[in-house]
Coordinates of all heavy atoms in Angstrom, one line a residue:
Q128 N 7.9 -3.2 -17.7 CA 7.2 -2.0 -18.2 C 6.6 -2.4 -19.5 O 7.2 -3.1 -20.3 CB 8.2 -0.8 -18.5 CG 8.8 -0.3 -17.2 CD 7.9 0.5 -16.3 OE1 6.9 1.0 -16.8 NE2 8.1 0.4 -15.0
L129 N 5.3 -2.0 -19.7 CA 4.6 -2.3 -21.0 C 5.4 -1.8 -22.2 O 5.9 -0.7 -22.2 CB 3.3 -1.6 -21.0 CG 2.1 -2.4 -20.4 CD1 0.8 -1.5 -20.6 CD2 1.8 -3.7 -21.1
K130 N 5.6 -2.7 -23.2 CA 6.3 -2.3 -24.4 C 5.6 -1.2 -25.1 O 4.4 -1.4 -25.4 CB 6.5 -3.6 -25.2 CG 7.3 -3.3 -26.5 CD 7.4 -4.5 -27.4 CE 8.5 -5.5 -26.9 NZ 8.7 -6.6 -27.9
T131 N 6.3 -0.2 -25.5 CA 5.7 0.9 -26.3 C 6.0 0.8 -27.7 O 7.0 0.0 -28.1 CB 6.2 2.3 -25.7 OG1 7.6 2.3 -26.0 CG2 6.0 2.4 -24.2
P132 N 5.3 1.5 -28.6 CA 5.7 1.5 -30.0 C 7.1 1.8 -30.3 O 7.7 1.4 -31.3 CB 4.7 2.5 -30.7 CG 3.5 2.5 -29.8 CD 4.1 2.3 -28.4
A133 N 7.7 2.7 -29.5 CA 9.1 3.1 -29.7 C 10.1 1.9 -29.4 O 11.2 1.9 -29.8 CB 9.5 4.2 -28.7
E134 N 9.6 0.8 -28.7 CA 10.4 -0.3 -28.4 C 10.1 -1.5 -29.3 O 10.4 -2.6 -29.0 CB 10.2 -0.7 -26.9 CG 10.6 0.4 -25.9 CD 10.1 0.1 -24.5 OE1 8.9 -0.1 -24.3 OE2 10.9 0.1 -23.6
A135 N 9.3 -1.3 -30.4 CA 9.0 -2.3 -31.3 C 10.2 -3.1 -31.8 O 11.2 -2.5 -32.0 CB 8.2 -1.8 -32.5
D136 N 10.0 -4.4 -31.9 CA 11.1 -5.3 -32.4 C 10.5 -6.4 -33.1 O 9.3 -6.4 -33.5 CB 12.0 -5.7 -31.3 CG 11.3 -6.5 -30.1 OD1 10.1 -6.9 -30.4 OD2 11.8 -6.5 -29.0
G137 N 11.3 -7.5 -33.4 CA 10.8 -8.6 -34.1 C 9.8 -9.5 -33.4 O 9.1 -10.3 -34.0
E138 N 9.7 -9.3 -32.0 CA 8.8 -10.0 -31.2 C 7.4 -9.5 -31.2 O 6.4 -10.2 -31.3 CB 9.3 -10.1 -29.8 CG 10.6 -10.8 -29.6 CD 10.6 -12.3 -29.9 OE1 9.5 -12.9 -29.9 OE2 11.6 -12.9 -30.3
S139 N 7.3 -8.1 -31.2 CA 6.0 -7.5 -31.1 C 6.2 -6.0 -31.4 O 7.3 -5.4 -31.3 CB 5.3 -7.7 -29.8 OG 6.0 -7.0 -28.8
L140 N 5.1 -5.3 -31.7 CA 5.1 -3.9 -32.0 C 4.8 -3.1 -30.8 O 5.4 -2.0 -30.6 CB 4.1 -3.5 -33.1 CG 4.3 -4.2 -34.5 CD1 3.2 -3.8 -35.4 CD2 5.7 -3.9 -35.0
Q141 N 4.0 -3.6 -29.9 CA 3.7 -2.9 -28.6 C 2.8 -3.9 -27.8 O 2.3 -4.9 -28.3 CB 2.9 -1.6 -28.8 CG 1.6 -1.7 -29.5 CD 0.9 -0.4 -29.7 OE1 0.7 0.3 -28.7 NE2 0.4 -0.1 -30.9
A142 N 2.5 -3.5 -26.6 CA 1.6 -4.2 -25.7 C 0.7 -3.3 -25.0 O 1.0 -2.1 -24.9 CB 2.4 -5.1 -24.7
R143 N -0.5 -3.8 -24.6 CA -1.5 -2.9 -24.0 C -2.5 -3.7 -23.1 O -2.8 -4.8 -23.4 CB -2.3 -2.2 -25.2 CG -3.3 -1.2 -24.8 CD -4.2 -0.8 -26.0 NE -3.4 -0.2 -27.1 CZ -3.9 0.0 -28.3 NH1 -5.2 -0.3 -28.5 NH2 -3.2 0.5 -29.2
W144 N -2.9 -3.0 -22.0 CA -4.0 -3.6 -21.3 C -5.3 -3.1 -22.0 O -5.5 -1.9 -22.2 CB -4.0 -3.0 -19.8 CG -2.9 -3.6 -19.0 CD1 -1.7 -2.9 -18.6 CD2 -2.8 -4.9 -18.4 NE1 -0.9 -3.7 -17.8 CE2 -1.5 -5.0 -17.7 CE3 -3.6 -6.0 -18.5 CZ2 -1.1 -6.1 -17.0 CZ3 -3.2 -7.2 -17.8 CH2 -2.0 -7.2 -17.1
C145 N -6.1 -4.1 -22.3 CA -7.3 -3.8 -23.1 C -8.6 -4.3 -22.4 O -8.6 -5.3 -21.7 CB -7.2 -4.5 -24.4 SG -5.8 -4.1 -25.4
N146 N -9.7 -3.5 -22.6 CA -11.0 -3.9 -22.1 C -11.4 -5.2 -22.8 O -11.2 -5.2 -24.1 CB -12.0 -2.8 -22.2 CG -11.7 -1.6 -21.3 OD1 -11.3 -1.8 -20.2 ND2 -12.0 -0.5 -21.8
V147 N -11.9 -6.2 -22.1 CA -12.3 -7.4 -22.8 C -13.3 -7.2 -23.9 O -13.2 -7.8 -25.0 CB -12.8 -8.4 -21.7 CG1 -13.4 -9.7 -22.4 CG2 -11.7 -8.8 -20.8
Q148 N -14.2 -6.3 -23.7 CA -15.3 -6.1 -24.7 C -14.7 -5.5 -25.9 O -15.1 -5.8 -27.1 CB -16.4 -5.1 -24.1 CG -17.6 -5.0 -25.0 CD -18.3 -6.4 -25.2 OE1 -18.2 -7.3 -24.3 NE2 -19.0 -6.5 -26.3
D149 N -13.7 -4.6 -25.8 CA -13.0 -4.0 -27.0 C -12.3 -5.1 -27.8 O -12.3 -5.1 -29.0 CB -12.0 -3.0 -26.5 CG -12.7 -1.7 -26.0 OD1 -13.9 -1.5 -26.3 OD2 -12.0 -0.9 -25.3
V150 N -11.7 -6.1 -27.1 CA -11.0 -7.2 -27.7 C -12.0 -8.0 -28.5 O -11.8 -8.3 -29.7 CB -10.2 -8.0 -26.7 CG1 -9.7 -9.3 -27.4 CG2 -9.1 -7.2 -26.0
K151 N -13.1 -8.4 -27.9 CA -14.1 -9.3 -28.5 C -14.9 -8.7 -29.6 O -15.4 -9.4 -30.5 CB -15.0 -9.9 -27.4 CG -14.2 -10.7 -26.4 CD -15.1 -11.3 -25.3 CE -15.9 -12.5 -25.9 NZ -16.6 -13.2 -24.9
T152 N -15.0 -7.3 -29.6 CA -15.7 -6.6 -30.7 C -14.7 -6.1 -31.7 O -15.1 -5.5 -32.7 CB -16.6 -5.5 -30.1 OG1 -15.7 -4.6 -29.4 CG2 -17.6 -6.0 -29.2
E153 N -13.4 -6.3 -31.4 CA -12.3 -5.8 -32.3 C -12.4 -4.3 -32.5 O -12.3 -3.8 -33.7 CB -12.3 -6.6 -33.6 CG -12.1 -8.1 -33.5 CD -11.9 -8.8 -34.8 OE1 -11.0 -8.4 -35.5 OE2 -12.6 -9.8 -35.0
N154 N -12.7 -3.6 -31.4 CA -12.8 -2.2 -31.5 C -11.5 -1.5 -31.6 O -10.7 -1.4 -30.7 CB -13.5 -1.7 -30.2 CG -13.8 -0.2 -30.2 OD1 -13.8 0.4 -31.2 ND2 -14.0 0.3 -29.0
D155 N -11.2 -1.0 -32.8 CA -9.9 -0.4 -33.2 C -8.7 -1.3 -32.9 O -7.6 -0.8 -32.7 CB -9.7 0.9 -32.3 CG -10.7 2.0 -32.7 OD1 -11.1 2.0 -33.9 OD2 -11.1 2.8 -31.9
M156 N -8.9 -2.6 -32.9 CA -7.8 -3.5 -32.8 C -8.1 -4.9 -33.5 O -8.7 -5.7 -32.9 CB -7.5 -3.7 -31.3 CG -8.6 -4.1 -30.4 SD -8.1 -4.3 -28.6 CE -6.7 -5.3 -28.7
P157 N -7.7 -5.0 -34.7 CA -8.0 -6.3 -35.4 C -7.3 -7.5 -34.7 O -6.1 -7.4 -34.3 CB -7.4 -6.0 -36.8 CG -6.4 -4.9 -36.6 CD -6.9 -4.1 -35.5
I158 N -8.0 -8.5 -34.5 CA -7.5 -9.7 -33.8 C -7.0 -10.7 -34.8 O -7.6 -11.0 -35.8 CB -8.7 -10.3 -33.0 CG1 -9.2 -9.3 -32.0 CG2 -8.2 -11.6 -32.2 CD1 -8.2 -8.8 -31.0
R159 N -5.8 -11.2 -34.5 CA -5.1 -12.2 -35.3 C -6.0 -13.5 -35.5 O -6.1 -14.0 -36.6 CB -3.8 -12.6 -34.7 CG -3.0 -13.7 -35.5 CD -1.8 -14.0 -34.8 NE -1.6 -15.5 -34.8 CZ -0.7 -16.1 -34.0 NH1 0.1 -15.4 -33.2 NH2 -0.5 -17.4 -34.1
A160 N -6.6 -14.0 -34.5 CA -7.4 -15.2 -34.5 C -8.4 -15.2 -33.3 O -8.0 -14.9 -32.2 CB -6.6 -16.5 -34.6
K161 N -9.6 -15.6 -33.6 CA -10.6 -15.5 -32.6 C -10.6 -16.7 -31.6 O -11.4 -16.8 -30.7 CB -12.0 -15.4 -33.2 CG -12.2 -14.1 -34.0 CD -13.6 -13.9 -34.6 CE -13.7 -12.6 -35.3 NZ -15.1 -12.5 -35.9
D162 N -9.6 -17.6 -31.8 CA -9.5 -18.7 -30.9 C -9.1 -18.3 -29.5 O -9.2 -19.1 -28.5 CB -8.5 -19.7 -31.4 CG -7.1 -19.2 -31.5 OD1 -6.9 -18.0 -31.6 OD2 -6.1 -20.0 -31.4
I163 N -8.7 -17.0 -29.3 CA -8.3 -16.5 -28.0 C -9.6 -16.1 -27.2 O -9.5 -15.9 -26.0 CB -7.3 -15.4 -28.0 CG1 -7.9 -14.2 -28.8 CG2 -6.0 -15.9 -28.6 CD1 -7.0 -12.9 -28.7
F164 N -10.7 -15.9 -27.8 CA -11.9 -15.4 -27.1 C -12.3 -16.4 -26.0 O -12.6 -15.9 -24.9 CB -13.0 -15.2 -28.1 CG -12.8 -14.0 -29.0 CD1 -13.7 -13.7 -30.0 CD2 -11.7 -13.1 -28.8 CE1 -13.5 -12.7 -30.9 CE2 -11.5 -12.1 -29.7 CZ -12.4 -11.8 -30.7
P165 N -12.4 -17.7 -26.2 CA -12.8 -18.6 -25.1 C -11.7 -18.6 -24.0 O -12.1 -18.8 -22.9 CB -12.9 -20.0 -25.8 CG -13.1 -19.7 -27.3 CD -12.3 -18.4 -27.5
I166 N -10.5 -18.4 -24.4 CA -9.4 -18.4 -23.4 C -9.6 -17.2 -22.5 O -9.4 -17.3 -21.3 CB -8.0 -18.4 -24.1 CG1 -7.8 -19.7 -24.9 CG2 -6.9 -18.1 -23.1 CD1 -6.5 -19.7 -25.7
I167 N -9.8 -16.0 -23.1 CA -10.1 -14.8 -22.3 C -11.3 -15.0 -21.4 O -11.3 -14.6 -20.2 CB -10.2 -13.6 -23.2 CG1 -8.9 -13.3 -24.0 CG2 -10.6 -12.4 -22.4 CD1 -9.0 -12.3 -25.0
D168 N -12.4 -15.5 -21.9 CA -13.6 -15.8 -21.1 C -13.2 -16.7 -19.9 O -13.7 -16.4 -18.8 CB -14.6 -16.5 -22.0 CG -15.3 -15.5 -23.0 OD1 -15.2 -14.3 -22.8 OD2 -15.9 -16.0 -23.9
L169 N -12.4 -17.7 -20.2 CA -12.0 -18.6 -19.1 C -11.2 -17.9 -18.0 O -11.4 -18.1 -16.8 CB -11.2 -19.8 -19.7 CG -10.8 -20.9 -18.7 CD1 -12.1 -21.6 -18.2 CD2 -10.0 -22.0 -19.5
A170 N -10.3 -17.0 -18.4 CA -9.5 -16.2 -17.5 C -10.4 -15.2 -16.7 O -10.2 -15.1 -15.4 CB -8.4 -15.4 -18.2
V171 N -11.4 -14.6 -17.3 CA -12.3 -13.7 -16.6 C -13.1 -14.5 -15.6 O -13.3 -14.1 -14.4 CB -13.3 -13.0 -17.6 CG1 -14.4 -12.3 -16.9 CG2 -12.5 -12.1 -18.5
Q172 N -13.6 -15.7 -16.0 CA -14.3 -16.6 -15.1 C -13.5 -17.0 -13.9 O -13.9 -17.0 -12.7 CB -14.8 -17.8 -15.8 CG -15.6 -18.8 -14.9 CD -15.9 -20.1 -15.6 OE1 -15.7 -20.2 -16.8 NE2 -16.5 -21.0 -14.9
H173 N -12.2 -17.3 -14.2 CA -11.3 -17.7 -13.1 C -11.1 -16.6 -12.1 O -11.1 -16.8 -10.9 CB -10.0 -18.1 -13.7 CG -8.9 -18.6 -12.7 ND1 -8.9 -19.8 -12.2 CD2 -7.9 -17.9 -12.2 CE1 -7.9 -19.9 -11.3 NE2 -7.2 -18.8 -11.3
Q174 N -10.9 -15.3 -12.6 CA -10.6 -14.2 -11.8 C -11.8 -13.9 -10.9 O -11.7 -13.5 -9.7 CB -10.2 -13.0 -12.6 CG -9.9 -11.8 -11.8 CD -9.7 -10.5 -12.7 OE1 -10.6 -10.1 -13.4 NE2 -8.5 -9.9 -12.6
S175 N -13.0 -14.1 -11.4 CA -14.2 -13.7 -10.7 C -14.7 -14.8 -9.7 O -15.6 -14.5 -8.9 CB -15.4 -13.3 -11.7 OG -15.7 -14.5 -12.5
T176 N -14.2 -15.9 -9.8 CA -14.6 -17.0 -8.9 C -13.9 -16.9 -7.6 O -12.7 -16.7 -7.5 CB -14.2 -18.4 -9.5 OG1 -14.8 -18.6 -10.8 CG2 -14.6 -19.5 -8.6
P177 N -14.7 -17.0 -6.5 CA -14.1 -16.9 -5.1 C -13.1 -17.9 -4.9 O -13.2 -19.1 -5.5 CB -15.3 -17.1 -4.2 CG -16.5 -16.8 -5.0 CD -16.2 -17.1 -6.4
E178 N -12.0 -17.6 -4.2 CA -10.9 -18.5 -4.0 C -11.3 -19.9 -3.5 O -10.8 -20.9 -3.9 CB -9.9 -17.9 -3.0 CG -9.1 -16.7 -3.6 CD -8.3 -17.0 -4.8 OE1 -7.7 -18.1 -4.8 OE2 -8.1 -16.2 -5.7
S179 N -12.3 -19.9 -2.6 CA -12.7 -21.2 -2.1 C -13.4 -22.1 -3.1 O -13.6 -23.3 -2.9 CB -13.7 -20.9 -0.9 OG -14.9 -20.2 -1.3
Q180 N -13.9 -21.5 -4.2 CA -14.6 -22.3 -5.2 C -13.8 -22.5 -6.5 O -14.2 -23.2 -7.4 CB -15.9 -21.5 -5.6 CG -16.8 -21.4 -4.4 CD -18.1 -20.6 -4.8 OE1 -18.5 -20.5 -6.0 NE2 -18.7 -19.9 -3.8

Side-chain angles (χ1 to χ4, degrees):
Q128 297 289 330
L129 271 179
K130 181 183 283 189
T131 66
E134 299 168 306
D136 55 21
E138 298 294 338
S139 65
L140 300 179
Q141 62 175 312
R143 184 190 301 169
W144 289 105
C145 302
N146 293 325
V147 170
Q148 191 60 28
D149 288 342
V150 173
K151 298 182 73 173
T152 58
E153 302 190 53
N154 184 17
D155 293 328
M156 52 183 311
I158 301 300
R159 176 184 136 193
K161 295 181 180 180
D162 64 332
I163 62 172
F164 292 171
I166 295 175
I167 294 172
D168 288 341
L169 188 60
V171 170
Q172 178 186 353
H173 179 80
Q174 184 187 58
S175 63
T176 301
E178 290 296 327
S179 61
Q180 298 176 25

